[in-house]
Amino acid sequence: MRWLGGVQSTFQVVQEVEYFRKAELQDGFTFWVVERISDGQFLGFCGLLRIREPYCRFRNAVEIGWRMRESEWRNGYAFEAATRARDFAFEALGLSQIVSRAAAGNKPSWKLMRKLGMERRRELDYRALANVATYMVFDDHEV
């Protein structure tokens, strides 16, 4: 959560869950809960969302994203979940590209994006509010 504003209030979580539900109803996909198979422990979420921010140059593109509990970082869960979301985007939804975004200093997410086969597209970088965000596009999922 370090890169996304820290721990959220209950109100913020409820708003975010409602946003994800609406996205799934509207688009047929969203960010989904990630649980550990062995014990059902909540690890975070991962999935696909359509970008709707009016200031974004690639508005309406589909974004792959993830947020995992810090205690679960570097255990492979984000990669496993993101790989399945990426494959769903191309195989089930028939998309030709997806994008991903990370704060400029979020090197672990950059590493995961590269591991997924994504490439940095500096021409798509931009500054949103006070947070510098880095944008990457994934065009060919054959890695």
Side-chain angles (χ1 to χ4, degrees), residues 43-128:
L43 303 176
F45 58 79
C46 180
L48 306 165
L49 284 174
R50 188 161 307 280
I51 296 172
R52 293 193 163 84
E53 294 97 342
Y55 53 81
C56 183
R57 286 189 282 166
F58 42 95
R59 187 171 189 223
N60 293 319
V62 174
E63 173 183 25
I64 185 171
W66 48 86
R67 188 182 305 169
M68 297 290 158
R69 291 176 38 196
E70 194 167 347
S71 62
E72 303 303 330
W73 291 359
R74 292 177 294 285
N75 287 323
Y77 297 121
F79 177 68
E80 182 179 353
T83 298
R84 287 194 167 70
R86 178 200 63 195
D87 294 348
F88 179 79
F90 293 109
E91 295 167 13
L93 300 177
L95 299 176
S96 61
Q97 70 176 18
I98 56 176
V99 301
S100 191
R101 309 185 271 184
N106 189 347
K107 304 288 187 200
S109 282
W110 286 17
K111 182 178 178 182
L112 178 53
M113 291 171 194
R114 288 191 300 273
K115 194 172 176 182
L116 289 169
M118 301 180 91
E119 293 181 24
R120 173 95 181 264
R121 295 284 299 274
R122 291 184 186 275
E123 72 275 14
L124 298 176
D125 289 359
Y126 75 95
R127 188 174 183 104

Side-chain angles (χ1 to χ4, degrees), residues 1-20:
M1 296 292 295
R2 175 185 334 161
W3 303 106
L4 297 170
V7 177
Q8 296 179 321
S9 69
T10 301
F11 178 74
Q12 289 170 309
V13 170
V14 169
Q15 283 186 310
E16 195 163 52
V17 168
E18 185 57 30
Y19 178 78
F20 292 162

Side-chain angles (χ1 to χ4, degrees), residues 18-33:
E18 185 57 30
Y19 178 78
F20 292 162
R21 285 183 181 151
K22 286 180 182 177
E24 184 149 39
L25 288 173
Q26 187 171 359
D27 299 318
F29 51 85
T30 193
F31 281 0
W32 301 288
V33 168

